[in-house]
């Protein structure tokens, strides 16, 4: 895996109430990732960018919601998210902009 590809795998951290709960309970961080990203790519990208050690990665495809504008139906794009489980003692702090 080249370094340029790894820089494009992670799109954004997913910050929500559920993501905060998962982070506190399971020492996991949730990221929005590229739609063609694989588990090894996500693991390598997190380790490269945040200098932490990753234990495991789970990936979920989120389907786009059906939306209606007037009488026309449409749908939002689907996306992919990754649950990254960090090794004990590791943490990523997004407020400071990196590893803590």
């Amino acid at each position: 895996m080249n370094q340029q590809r790894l820089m494009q795998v992670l799109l954004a951290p997913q910050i929500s109430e559920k993501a905060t709960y998962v982070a506190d309970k399971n020492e996991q961080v949730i990221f929005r990732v590229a739609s063609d990203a694989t588990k090894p790519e996500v693991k390598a990208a997190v380790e490269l960018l945040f200098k932490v050690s990753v234990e495991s990665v789970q990936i979920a495809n989120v389907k786009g919601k059906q939306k209606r504008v007037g009488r026309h139906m449409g749908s939002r794009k689907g996306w992919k998210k990754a649950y990254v489980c960090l090794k004990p003692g590791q943490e990523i702090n997004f407020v400071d902009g990196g590893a803590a």
Side-chain angles (χ1 to χ4, degrees):
M1 290 176 263
N2 65 10
Q3 197 166 2
Q4 196 171 24
R5 167 66 181 156
L6 294 179
M7 295 297 232
Q8 297 173 347
V9 169
L10 298 180
L11 301 178
Q14 189 69 23
I15 299 174
S16 63
E17 190 173 342
K18 180 180 177 183
T20 306
Y21 177 74
V22 166
D24 290 342
K25 188 172 182 212
N26 302 332
E27 293 187 14
Q28 287 183 329
V29 184
I30 303 175
F31 288 100
R32 196 174 200 139
V33 297
S35 59
D36 59 344
T38 62
K39 288 182 181 184
E41 285 179 336
V42 172
K43 180 178 179 176
V46 171
E47 288 177 346
L48 175 73
L49 290 173
F50 298 105
K51 310 289 189 276
V52 294
S53 51
V54 174
E55 191 170 309
S56 65
V57 176
Q58 286 112 10
I59 291 184
N61 284 315
V62 179
K63 294 191 177 186
K65 291 183 178 180
Q66 295 290 322
K67 291 294 177 179
R68 194 177 129 173
V69 179
R71 62 181 180 177
H72 302 289
M73 288 296 290
S75 63
R76 292 184 180 166
K77 280 176 43 174
W79 52 283
K80 192 180 262 193
K81 68 178 169 181
Y83 292 86
V84 178
C85 185
L86 303 174
K87 289 192 177 170
Q90 302 280 321
E91 99 177 349
I92 297 175
N93 191 354
F94 294 114
V95 177
D96 296 336

